[in-house]
Amino acid sequence: MSSRRFDGPRNVLCVLHEVEQVLQREQQEGNSDRLIPILLDDDLFETGAVPPDWWPAERNHVYRGLQGRVCARFTEARYDVEKWNEELGKLLKALRKQPKTSSGAC
């Protein structure tokens, strides 16, 4: 397991709060895709279904929400041009996707 950590507990909680708000907004919009995780390494998901030890327990639901997402994984892409193109294609497709709008929205 990696020993790298975020800058500190306050920063972790601030970031997780932002992620949590985006996940809630996506749910309210009928499962829109506003959050597109881009993975440069496997640190976040290397522990599997259990959050890493540095993850705050009160935010485990955010970890589970991130796990179920389609991610652009560039973890092996730096050595494999085909993998790079595949992951970049996923990211571009998600970015081009038209947001779902509800009636009466601004």
Side-chain angles (χ1 to χ4, degrees), residues 40-65:
L40 301 176
D41 58 33
D42 288 323
D43 283 357
L44 185 58
F45 297 127
E46 71 184 353
T47 57
V50 178
D53 59 356
W54 54 263
W55 193 276
E58 67 273 10
R59 297 282 199 245
N60 282 350
H61 61 285
V62 177
Y63 182 81
R64 288 188 301 275

Side-chain angles (χ1 to χ4, degrees), residues 74-87:
F74 288 90
T75 54
E76 299 152 15
R78 61 187 150 188
Y79 307 113
D80 184 342
V81 173
E82 286 182 33
K83 183 73 173 160
W84 175 269
N85 289 333
E86 177 185 332
E87 296 305 314

Side-chain angles (χ1 to χ4, degrees), residues 9-21 23-24 44 49-52 54-67:
R10 180 185 160 114
N11 288 343
V12 169
L13 292 176
C14 289
V15 170
L16 293 180
H17 178 73
E18 293 283 329
V19 170
E20 184 176 26
Q21 287 188 329
L23 292 174
Q24 288 172 356
L44 185 58
V50 178
W54 54 263
W55 193 276
E58 67 273 10
R59 297 282 199 245
N60 282 350
H61 61 285
V62 177
Y63 182 81
R64 288 188 301 275
L66 287 174
Q67 272 193 314

